[in-house]
Amino acid sequence: MEARNLTKEYRVKSEKSLFSKPFTAVRDVNLQVYPGETLGIVGESGCGKSTVARLMMLLEKPTKGEIWIGGARMDQVPERELRKRRTEFQMVFQDSGSSLNPRKRVREIIEEPMRYHRIAPEAEIPQRTAELLEMVGLPTAMAERYPHEFSGGQRQRICIARALSLRPKALVLDEPVSALDVSVQAQILNLLRDLQRQLGTAYVFIGHGLGAVHYISDRVAVMYRGSIVEEGPSEALFAHPAHPYTRALLDAAPVADDGMRDRARLALKEEIDQEAPAGACPLYPRCPLAEEACLHYRGEMRELAGEQARRSACNRAWER
């Protein structure tokens, strides 16, 4: 799965005018997801993570850019052809409660996609449903219950089972554990890792919980105001962040180690809605390390010298 120069603009009403104006939610995003790996996308609320998820799932059409899946460009295919290809990529949403039809039993929720896409013969669907429930750690006896009879973690397991019922090559997981408590989060993350090892499914894992993203991701992309500002292997990025925004995110996270609580931290200024001057780095108004050169550098991604598969949009980082 690949996004090339992905851009999405919306029209929003202006408080000072009768006319709407364009708002760029996602700007020139380039991402690649390879078979069997997990790409994590992390950033503040409002940075464009979920918009990227909807665009990659083709639930919305990009203003500019391309979506490629399995070697085929998907953002321009007719709707009829797109419906046939949707078995290859599925999505798990943050709110499991609103993702499930409250008037249908779990068995019907899981069986319906298989019938629509004719994934298996009718006689085999009940057995396939039972296997999927066992795969996500739910007793098959629960198949006759309704969604409201389950906890939040159990409902998310049902959503995962429904997505896997179509045997997809890729899953887009839009903050699938952020609404769950910590112990249940760990169960779902372990379940996702086990399923990936078993099935070889690729994941796009979107979240703002750094611990969850670090734990499950092979590679991580950091977003700020609709753009990718840093990308690289998970371990290297979390151990040695190259962009001030990434470092500020990591420094803002609570640390259980008493010896680390008094460490030097990098804190951003202002709020995320602060606009940068034209042609300047988007983080310029908030960055405590900003210098005059940042006013003339828009923040294009470049590879870091001497580091494999690491890219950063900070003009200071890639020169180090």
Side-chain angles (χ1 to χ4, degrees), residues 250-271:
L250 297 176
D251 285 348
V255 178
D257 187 351
D258 288 337
M260 294 290 291
R261 292 183 180 178
D262 295 329
R263 71 192 187 281
R265 303 190 188 197
L266 187 71
L268 299 178
K269 304 178 291 185
E270 307 298 337
E271 297 296 332

Side-chain angles (χ1 to χ4, degrees), residues 1 27 32 34 91 102 127 135 155 172 177 193 222 257 271 276 291 299 303:
M1 181 179 286
R27 185 192 306 272
Q32 296 82 33
Y34 301 102
M91 189 166 185
Q127 177 62 30
M135 192 180 295
R155 284 197 297 268
V172 176
V177 298
R193 292 186 69 172
V222 182
D257 187 351
E271 297 296 332
E291 54 191 20
E303 292 187 2

